[in-house]
Amino acid sequence: MTAVTGTTTVTTTDGRGAAGVPVRGLTVLYDAECGLCVHLRAWLARQAQLVPLELLPAGSAEVRARFPGLDHAATLDEVTVIGDSGQVYQGSRAWIVVLWALRDHRRLAHRLTGPTGAKLARGAVLAAAKWREAQRRGGPWGGQVYRRADGWSYHPRTGWTYSPPSYSPPSCSGTAPASR
């Protein structure tokens, strides 16, 4: 387990000192540019929560300010959950912790902590990562990922919309570009 405290990241032994620390809240970081991640974020928001979940876009200014010791590039590649005492969970462990926080999925989370369940959870996370990578490359499951920087935005009520980014062609002022 890794704990984030202030501006430093402290790595500790799994479970060390965590038994007596109650978890009162979890911050789930998700990739706001990934359709699957946005869908799962919306699903999590609709679930009954035994432990409150705060859902924040990974790499956002707010996340960078609140968790300066976190590897923010890694949070865009792998699901990351941060406990209110600074615990950091990534990958399949992060999903198990999130399921544990949900009323209707806590029993499943407990089953996923055993040897067989852990393999299943890891396989699910790897399948999601493979799907995301295929989306980024325009792989076998569809086209490219729609990104805000390219002019795309998603609205739950209306779906995807496209507003081309502003472009101003070079002016014909008669001056040649500076050479190097």
Short mmCIF file of all heavy atoms in Angstrom, two decimals, residues 2 13 28 33 56 63 71 80 86 90 98 140 143-144 159:
data_model
loop_
_atom_site.label_atom_id
_atom_site.label_comp_id
_atom_site.label_asym_id
_atom_site.label_seq_id
_atom_site.Cartn_x
_atom_site.Cartn_y
_atom_site.Cartn_z
N THR A 2 0.45 2.28 -0.60
CA THR A 2 1.18 3.54 -0.63
C THR A 2 0.30 4.60 0.02
O THR A 2 -0.90 4.62 -0.20
CB THR A 2 1.47 3.95 -2.09
OG1 THR A 2 2.19 2.91 -2.70
CG2 THR A 2 2.28 5.22 -2.16
N THR A 13 4.25 -1.21 4.09
CA THR A 13 3.97 -2.62 3.87
C THR A 13 2.47 -2.81 3.81
O THR A 13 1.72 -2.18 4.54
CB THR A 13 4.55 -3.45 5.03
OG1 THR A 13 5.93 -3.10 5.17
CG2 THR A 13 4.43 -4.93 4.77
N VAL A 28 -12.07 8.70 -6.03
CA VAL A 28 -11.84 7.87 -7.20
C VAL A 28 -11.42 8.78 -8.35
O VAL A 28 -12.15 9.70 -8.71
CB VAL A 28 -13.12 7.08 -7.59
CG1 VAL A 28 -12.87 6.21 -8.82
CG2 VAL A 28 -13.61 6.25 -6.42
N GLU A 33 -11.32 11.73 -20.37
CA GLU A 33 -11.26 11.65 -21.83
C GLU A 33 -11.60 10.25 -22.34
O GLU A 33 -11.60 10.02 -23.54
CB GLU A 33 -9.86 12.04 -22.32
CG GLU A 33 -9.45 13.45 -21.95
CD GLU A 33 -10.24 14.50 -22.69
OE1 GLU A 33 -10.63 14.25 -23.85
OE2 GLU A 33 -10.48 15.57 -22.11
N LEU A 56 -13.34 12.32 -9.21
CA LEU A 56 -12.62 13.46 -9.77
C LEU A 56 -11.84 13.06 -11.02
O LEU A 56 -11.29 11.95 -11.08
CB LEU A 56 -11.64 14.04 -8.75
CG LEU A 56 -12.23 14.61 -7.47
CD1 LEU A 56 -11.11 15.02 -6.51
CD2 LEU A 56 -13.11 15.80 -7.79
N VAL A 63 -7.02 17.81 -8.52
CA VAL A 63 -6.34 16.60 -8.05
C VAL A 63 -4.86 16.88 -7.83
O VAL A 63 -4.28 16.45 -6.83
CB VAL A 63 -6.56 15.43 -9.04
CG1 VAL A 63 -5.67 14.26 -8.70
CG2 VAL A 63 -8.02 15.02 -9.04
N ASP A 71 1.72 10.27 -8.47
CA ASP A 71 2.20 10.19 -9.86
C ASP A 71 0.99 10.41 -10.76
O ASP A 71 0.25 9.47 -11.06
CB ASP A 71 2.84 8.83 -10.11
CG ASP A 71 3.36 8.66 -11.53
OD1 ASP A 71 3.15 9.57 -12.38
OD2 ASP A 71 3.98 7.61 -11.81
N THR A 80 -7.16 4.78 -10.03
CA THR A 80 -6.52 5.09 -8.75
C THR A 80 -7.58 5.56 -7.77
O THR A 80 -8.44 6.38 -8.11
CB THR A 80 -5.46 6.19 -8.95
OG1 THR A 80 -4.51 5.77 -9.93
CG2 THR A 80 -4.73 6.49 -7.65
N GLY A 86 -5.05 8.79 3.30
CA GLY A 86 -3.88 8.84 2.43
C GLY A 86 -3.53 7.53 1.74
O GLY A 86 -2.57 7.47 0.98
N GLN A 90 -4.36 1.07 -6.57
CA GLN A 90 -4.36 1.15 -8.02
C GLN A 90 -4.72 -0.20 -8.62
O GLN A 90 -4.59 -1.23 -8.00
CB GLN A 90 -3.00 1.61 -8.55
CG GLN A 90 -2.71 3.05 -8.19
CD GLN A 90 -1.41 3.56 -8.78
OE1 GLN A 90 -0.36 2.96 -8.58
NE2 GLN A 90 -1.48 4.65 -9.50
N VAL A 98 -13.41 0.13 -4.34
CA VAL A 98 -14.60 0.86 -4.77
C VAL A 98 -15.84 -0.01 -4.61
O VAL A 98 -16.88 0.45 -4.10
CB VAL A 98 -14.45 1.36 -6.23
CG1 VAL A 98 -15.77 1.86 -6.78
CG2 VAL A 98 -13.41 2.45 -6.31
N PRO A 140 -9.72 -2.52 -33.17
CA PRO A 140 -10.79 -3.34 -33.73
C PRO A 140 -12.18 -3.05 -33.18
O PRO A 140 -13.16 -3.45 -33.77
CB PRO A 140 -10.37 -4.77 -33.36
CG PRO A 140 -9.49 -4.61 -32.17
CD PRO A 140 -8.80 -3.29 -32.35
N GLY A 143 -13.66 3.45 -33.66
CA GLY A 143 -12.83 4.56 -34.12
C GLY A 143 -11.98 5.14 -33.02
O GLY A 143 -11.79 4.57 -31.96
N GLN A 144 -11.49 6.30 -33.30
CA GLN A 144 -10.63 7.00 -32.36
C GLN A 144 -11.42 7.48 -31.15
O GLN A 144 -12.63 7.56 -31.17
CB GLN A 144 -10.01 8.22 -33.07
CG GLN A 144 -9.10 7.86 -34.22
CD GLN A 144 -7.78 7.31 -33.74
OE1 GLN A 144 -7.49 7.23 -32.56
NE2 GLN A 144 -6.96 6.89 -34.68
N GLY A 159 -25.77 13.76 -25.95
CA GLY A 159 -24.74 12.92 -26.58
C GLY A 159 -23.53 13.75 -27.01
O GLY A 159 -23.26 14.81 -26.48
#
